[in-house]
Amino acid sequence: MNSSPNKVIIDLSALRYNLLKIRELVGQGTRIMGIVKSDAYGHGLIPVARELEKLRIDSLGLNYLPEAIRLRGEGIETPVVILLGIYTPQDAKKVVDHNLIPVIYDLDSASMLSEEGKKSGRPINVYLKIDTGMGRLGVDFKETALFLKQLMKMKGVKIEGLFSHLSTADQEDTGFTETQIKNFKEVIAASRGIGLDLSMNNLANSAGIIRYRDAHFDLVRPGIMLYGGLPCPDFANPPPLRHLMTFCSSVLQVREVRHGTPISYGRTFYTDGSRKIAIVSAGYADGLNRSMSNKGMVLIHGQKARIIGRICMNLTIVDVTPIKGVNKGDRVYLLGKNKGNMITADDMASWANTISYEVLCSIGGRNRREYIHEEEVGQDS
Ligand SMILES: *Cc1c(COP(=O)(O)O)cnc(C)c1O
């Protein structure tokens, strides 16, 4: 963590609102696994998990065993799913000790878990990850029945549900997602065919939740929409969501510069006419994507100011000519709302040609975080 004056403010009350929107989309019968991997997308694993537990989320999903153990250490009792599974017999023991639910995708980790489950006298719940078209972790969907038969011979593990991931649910063309849904349905049918009646089958990420009712199955796995971000910056017709994260910095200096003044490294920007510029105390090492150089905006006194020249490691230059009374020490909003104007993670993502996920992880992970519970009234997005 750096020692800059910058800070990230996280409004935890927005989680309640976003979760409500998810519940509206999926209905009462569908369970919700809140995805809190990567330090809750940069928002802080423990405070976010604690809040989601208060909101009675059905389960939490994260990537690694140590994160799950941390949650237990903090007294969080909600079921926790380890999305990337476990690798060693010692891990399997910890799964039992902390009552966790690993995702499995090979027989190797299944047999480790089976051994521990048998020792402890209580079967370990697992999810089985199936590749229905993502081209990443999992058992090939065509081989699921075979895999399940082998798994069913193992004592000490109990399959909670089949688990798969969508690769293109945010894209306009629906064809491939429909194929994945169809593949997943076939896999479920195959599991029934060999006598398994699983009640926690799940496929949908945020984009799947919003766009494909058919992809909801028994349980959904929202990540980005919990945090108010969109699956991609140009995502069409998003539901109303609230952002949790605000990122503030401050003005270090205000200067009047002459026409034709080169700004920052590489002289990629020359002023047109005499301008008033402000030097802001944040840069790419603080999580601002350098691709926003000469593209992005910030808010000062509630007004938009253009980023000019290259973003530096800990400094950024903005043009404040049209904004009255900008002074050294003034607050700069790089992300979030300021006097009715707003810069979202999706705005930043489109300036930097990335996605809100990366913006939130970069900024949230590199700055001091402060937590608030803002009044829900007047918090429109
Ligand atoms: C990250 C992740 C999610 C959440 O995806 P979003 O697009 O953020 O909703 C769901 N499932 C798995 C397996 C993931 O890794």
Side-chain angles (χ1 to χ4, degrees):
M1 203 65 50
N2 63 39
S3 45
S4 79
N6 303 337
K7 69 176 170 187
V8 160
I9 302 164
I10 309 280
D11 177 12
L12 289 173
S13 68
L15 273 177
R16 176 190 294 273
Y17 181 88
N18 295 341
L19 194 53
L20 216 70
K21 290 293 151 200
I22 297 167
R23 285 230 196 270
E24 279 171 19
L25 284 167
V26 302
Q28 283 305 320
T30 306
R31 285 184 233 214
I32 300 174
M33 180 193 302
I35 302 297
V36 292
K37 67 190 180 196
S38 295
D39 207 18
Y41 290 43
H43 294 71
L45 174 63
I46 302 299
V48 168
R50 205 170 262 144
E51 189 69 18
L52 290 174
E53 178 163 273
K54 260 195 240 161
L55 298 169
R56 297 166 181 276
I57 195 131
D58 297 290
S59 57
L60 297 166
L62 40 65
N63 282 339
Y64 310 109
L65 176 69
E67 301 174 283
I69 295 174
R70 246 185 90 208
L71 288 185
R72 291 290 182 253
E74 293 285 333
I76 287 160
E77 292 169 353
T78 302
V80 177
V81 177
I82 306 167
L83 301 173
L84 300 186
I86 57 125
Y87 325 101
T88 68
Q90 291 77 13
D91 288 353
K93 167 114 184 23
K94 289 178 185 161
V95 162
V96 172
D97 292 346
H98 298 279
N99 193 20
L100 305 168
I101 308 166
V103 170
I104 62 168
Y105 37 83
D106 56 29
L107 287 171
D108 188 43
S109 54
S111 65
M112 288 174 197
L113 290 161
S114 163
E115 287 311 308
E116 281 304 323
K118 280 189 278 185
K119 263 192 242 164
S120 77
R122 200 163 56 101
I124 300 175
N125 287 330
V126 300
Y127 282 101
L128 176 59
K129 184 135 184 183
I130 313 292
D131 188 347
T132 53
M134 175 72 186
R136 210 173 62 179
L137 271 184
V139 174
D140 191 306
F141 76 96
K142 294 205 175 84
E143 289 156 21
T144 306
L146 192 69
F147 190 95
L148 280 172
K149 279 182 197 155
Q150 289 169 287
L151 204 56
M152 283 162 77
K153 284 188 213 139
M154 292 185 184
K155 300 276 175 289
V157 286
K158 178 172 167 288
I159 309 165
E160 287 226 306
L162 303 171
F163 182 119
S164 189
H165 199 45
L166 297 170
S167 67
T168 62
D170 59 320
Q171 289 172 18
E172 206 166 311
D173 180 13
T174 58
F176 192 69
T177 303
E178 278 155 12
T179 302
Q180 281 198 272
I181 294 172
K182 181 173 137 292
N183 293 346
F184 197 58
K185 283 182 176 163
E186 275 173 26
V187 167
I188 293 171
S191 72
R192 296 217 172 107
I194 54 172
L196 271 174
D197 190 19
L198 305 173
S199 60
M200 297 276 254
N201 296 323
N202 61 95
L203 177 64
N205 53 3
S206 296
I209 292 168
I210 301 170
R211 297 190 60 210
Y212 298 89
R213 188 160 281 279
D214 237 27
H216 293 176
F217 296 96
D218 304 314
L219 169 92
V220 292
R221 307 190 309 267
I224 196 69
M225 67 187 300
L226 277 176
Y227 308 101
L230 301 178
C232 59
D234 58 356
F235 192 82
N237 306 316
L241 296 167
R242 283 184 188 152
H243 299 274
L244 277 68
M245 192 183 290
T246 297
F247 179 34
C248 307
S249 181
S250 54
V251 172
L252 287 180
Q253 189 183 20
V254 180
R255 296 176 57 198
E256 308 273 353
V257 295
R258 278 185 299 275
H259 170 73
T261 303
I263 302 293
S264 192
Y265 286 118
R267 297 185 295 169
T268 60
F269 186 90
Y270 277 79
T271 55
D272 184 12
S274 65
R275 309 299 290 177
K276 187 169 61 169
I277 62 170
I279 323 300
V280 178
S281 173
Y284 59 79
D286 307 297
L288 294 184
N289 195 306
R290 192 165 167 274
S291 307
M292 296 193 302
S293 299
N294 287 311
K295 280 199 196 130
M297 308 265 207
V298 307
L299 296 173
I300 302 181
H301 298 185
Q303 293 180 59
K304 289 194 170 158
R306 257 179 83 204
I307 294 174
I308 55 175
R310 285 200 185 135
I311 292 174
C312 310
M313 188 179 281
N314 301 103
L315 295 171
T316 296
I317 300 105
V318 299
D319 184 347
V320 292
T321 312
I323 309 175
K324 282 212 179 66
V326 178
N327 287 305
K328 175 175 179 160
D330 286 356
R331 197 172 248 214
V332 180
Y333 287 82
L334 296 143
L335 176 66
K337 212 194 290 187
N338 177 217
K339 296 187 180 161
N341 240 326
M342 177 153 77
I343 290 171
T344 66
D346 289 288
D347 292 332
M348 281 192 163
S350 67
W351 293 326
N353 193 24
T354 180
I355 49 178
S356 57
Y357 307 60
E358 188 180 3
V359 168
L360 295 171
C361 288
S362 306
I363 294 176
R366 285 185 173 83
N367 295 281
R368 184 164 49 91
R369 288 186 296 237
E370 205 176 281
Y371 292 89
I372 60 168
H373 245 107
E374 209 143 269
E375 225 41 72
E376 308 251 329
V377 221
Q379 263 280 294
D380 63 330
S381 44

